[in-house]
Amino acid sequence: MFSFQYNFPPDTLNLIDHYEAQTRAAHQTLTGEKMPMTGWLQHPARISEEELSRITETAAQIRDKNDAFVLIGIGGSYIGARACIELLDNHNANKNIDFYYAGFNLSGAYHSALKETLHDKDFTICVVSKSGTTMETAMTFTYFKTLLKERYGARYAEHIYVVTDEMDGLLRREAEEEGYTTFALDKNIGGRYSVLTSVGLLPAAVAGYDINKIIAGAQAAIDAFGSSSLNDNDCLKYAVLRRIAEERLEKHIEIFSAFEPRFSSFLEWLKQLFGESEGKDQKGIYPTSLLYTRDLHAMGQFLQQGRPGFFESIFSVRPKDHAHPFDIQNDIVCRAVKKARADNSTPICTFYFDEINEYAFGYAAYFFEKACAVSCLLTGVNPFDQPGVEVYKAEVKRLSKELLQNDPS
Ligand code: PA5
């Protein structure tokens, strides 16, 4: 769990109450069950014991039979799982399996190096794609499926796990025809809101984490952040502070910064969640990330004295009694950074984790998914679509067709 603190210039704080009615309305719209693509809101409360056991048992079988696991996906269909696994990495996991990611880039060098790494390992792939048609994922799936066929012959299908739409799509059809093991993603849950479903839970379980605890953390967050009243709900308060930062203080950039390297992919997940949800209709706060103390010796200069168009959301872990001297020093630096920013009138939100574990991950993931959706509704944009992404995709299709016509080989 974490505590949420904020330090905004004093004259802006009385503005919070001005957002009360607007926030209540946004929260009611989100939770009113009429809004499409909100299945993730209650999913952690509704996921069955059977589903959780099936994921855990499948993961145990994957770990028993393989040396390596390759997670294939992009965007919301991959970064949440990676965020979870890397955040928990220091925590007690009994991985017993090498973990790789593929399909989130189109580098030939990256994928052939991965193929080479796998040459003497028994491996399984897990393909995650809601639509089943994403180009990067489809191309990478074909690449590793060929390798599995060469390696395991007719038994190749035993090494393929698929998470995709519960009914539709090419991937769903292929999985059923070829007999891959599948997990269904609800129609009503989009990629970037899917980390607390089998999309994030299966890879987390393969990595050795207790998904029941992740879900317990998310369930606690459903209760903790269920109120429509701004004063009782930190999740709504954070969404409103983002609005105040942008609308009243002209802060158009949010810097997510962390003092632990294991937060690196978590910050990438936040960027993906907020960027793809909020950046539309010529609106939105641009999310970016920094890792401290590394970036204090680079961007630290800019943040203190450069163009002040940003606010900062800081992630830190409270040092325990008898903490490692590095952790004690890290906490001193965190406090010093907060003081320096405050002296400079930079608005800051702080998420102070007591501990990093599965429960805390589930809790935090739910908090940010909900805060993001509310923030979008306050901005007046749909949190759940991504029409801008289609623009470059259409051009990719056109260019690929042109290439095929000119060189059919
Ligand atoms: O968050 C999103 O909706 C997107 O980032 C998708 O997850 C991403 O485009 C991959 O889509 P799909 O799961 O259909 O392959």
Side-chain angles (χ1 to χ4, degrees):
M1 307 258 280
F2 57 79
S3 59
F4 169 59
Q5 299 159 2
Y6 53 92
N7 191 342
F8 271 49
D11 52 336
T12 59
L13 285 181
N14 56 0
L15 290 173
I16 291 183
D17 289 343
H18 292 194
Y19 284 81
E20 172 77 41
Q22 210 185 329
T23 309
R24 192 175 283 278
H27 190 249
Q28 279 163 1
T29 303
L30 183 70
T31 55
E33 301 213 347
K34 282 205 186 117
M35 182 148 200
M37 304 309 288
T38 52
W40 54 274
L41 271 171
Q42 287 301 322
H43 185 78
R46 289 183 184 152
I47 191 166
S48 65
E49 298 273 331
E50 292 74 36
E51 175 78 346
L52 290 170
S53 305
R54 183 171 170 248
I55 295 173
T56 306
E57 282 156 21
T58 306
Q61 284 161 15
I62 292 174
R63 275 208 310 279
D64 283 353
K65 291 190 190 144
N66 295 278
D67 307 312
F69 179 77
V70 183
L71 180 61
I72 300 175
I74 195 164
S77 292
Y78 122 93
I79 190 64
R82 186 167 190 168
C84 173
I85 290 162
E86 291 181 4
L87 189 67
L88 298 178
D89 205 30
N90 296 350
H91 173 76
N92 223 2
N94 170 23
K95 264 197 232 147
N96 251 345
I97 192 162
D98 295 339
F99 222 94
Y100 301 99
Y101 301 92
F104 66 98
N105 67 63
L106 286 171
S107 160
Y110 180 91
H111 289 94
S112 44
L114 178 51
K115 187 172 169 181
E116 182 52 33
T117 305
L118 296 170
H119 86 275
D120 59 349
K121 296 182 197 296
D122 272 319
F123 74 100
T124 270
I125 62 176
C126 175
V127 192
V128 182
S129 179
K130 167 105 200 254
S131 62
T133 54
T134 301
M135 177 264 296
E136 291 90 334
T137 309
M139 196 167 169
T140 311
F141 177 37
T142 305
Y143 184 75
F144 285 104
K145 188 166 54 177
T146 307
L147 188 60
L148 285 172
K149 284 183 177 171
E150 285 164 14
R151 182 82 60 85
Y152 299 106
R155 304 193 61 182
Y156 83 98
E158 292 169 23
H159 292 259
I160 299 177
Y161 293 77
V162 168
V163 185
T164 190
D165 187 89
E166 52 192 334
M167 284 183 289
D168 291 338
L170 283 178
L171 192 54
R172 164 67 52 195
R173 274 204 294 287
E174 176 177 332
E176 278 164 13
E177 278 162 24
E178 302 296 323
Y180 310 147
T181 302
T182 60
F183 289 87
L185 182 56
D186 285 16
K187 278 231 156 310
N188 209 15
I189 302 178
R192 59 189 173 276
Y193 293 85
S194 68
V195 65
L196 297 169
T197 71
S198 49
V199 169
L201 297 177
L202 178 63
V206 173
Y209 298 109
D210 185 342
I211 59 170
N212 290 294
K213 291 185 182 159
I214 296 177
I215 289 299
Q219 286 169 348
I222 293 179
D223 293 342
F225 307 118
S227 165
S228 286
S229 159
L230 198 43
N231 283 325
D232 302 332
N233 190 336
D234 277 349
C235 184
L236 300 185
K237 208 171 271 174
Y238 169 59
V240 164
L241 287 168
R242 298 182 82 253
R243 291 291 99 236
I244 291 176
E246 189 182 28
E247 290 163 15
R248 311 293 175 123
L249 304 173
E250 296 196 19
K251 306 292 185 188
H252 299 290
I253 297 171
E254 178 171 18
I255 298 174
F256 294 113
S257 56
F259 283 79
E260 288 280 341
R262 57 156 96 166
F263 273 89
S264 179
S265 288
F266 187 77
L267 303 189
E268 292 302 314
W269 175 72
L270 288 173
K271 277 154 66 177
Q272 199 263 339
L273 175 66
F274 281 92
E276 206 172 19
S277 296
E278 197 177 57
K280 49 197 73 150
D281 300 346
Q282 314 290 317
K283 297 178 187 168
I285 295 168
Y286 182 83
T288 187
S289 65
L290 295 173
L291 269 187
Y292 297 154
T293 60
R294 181 193 69 192
D295 290 326
L296 290 175
H297 294 258
M299 302 306 286
Q301 167 58 36
F302 191 105
L303 301 190
Q304 205 58 30
Q305 293 180 335
R307 188 183 290 273
F310 62 89
F311 65 104
E312 197 167 353
S313 293
I314 299 176
F315 292 82
S316 178
V317 185
R318 210 179 289 282
K320 292 199 172 67
D321 295 343
H322 313 297
H324 192 289
F326 277 123
D327 293 331
I328 294 168
Q329 191 64 19
N330 213 8
D331 193 53
I332 289 172
V333 178
C334 176
R335 283 189 275 147
V337 165
K338 283 169 63 179
K339 171 83 171 63
R341 298 285 184 272
D343 288 351
N344 215 10
S345 301
T346 301
I348 313 167
C349 296
T350 309
F351 299 93
Y352 229 139
F353 284 72
D354 295 324
E355 227 180 307
I356 301 292
N357 54 30
E358 289 97 328
Y359 189 91
F361 177 81
Y363 190 84
Y366 189 87
F367 176 96
F368 285 104
E369 286 179 344
K370 189 161 181 182
C372 178
V374 172
S375 186
C376 290
L377 293 174
L378 289 173
T379 316
V381 300
N382 179 349
F384 308 122
D385 64 0
Q386 52 282 327
V389 178
E390 301 308 320
V391 179
Y392 91 88
K393 280 191 185 169
E395 186 60 9
V396 170
K397 262 193 201 142
R398 195 189 65 75
L399 287 172
S400 307
K401 206 165 150 194
E402 201 175 278
L403 190 75
L404 207 68
Q405 274 160 0
N406 294 340
D407 180 10
S409 65

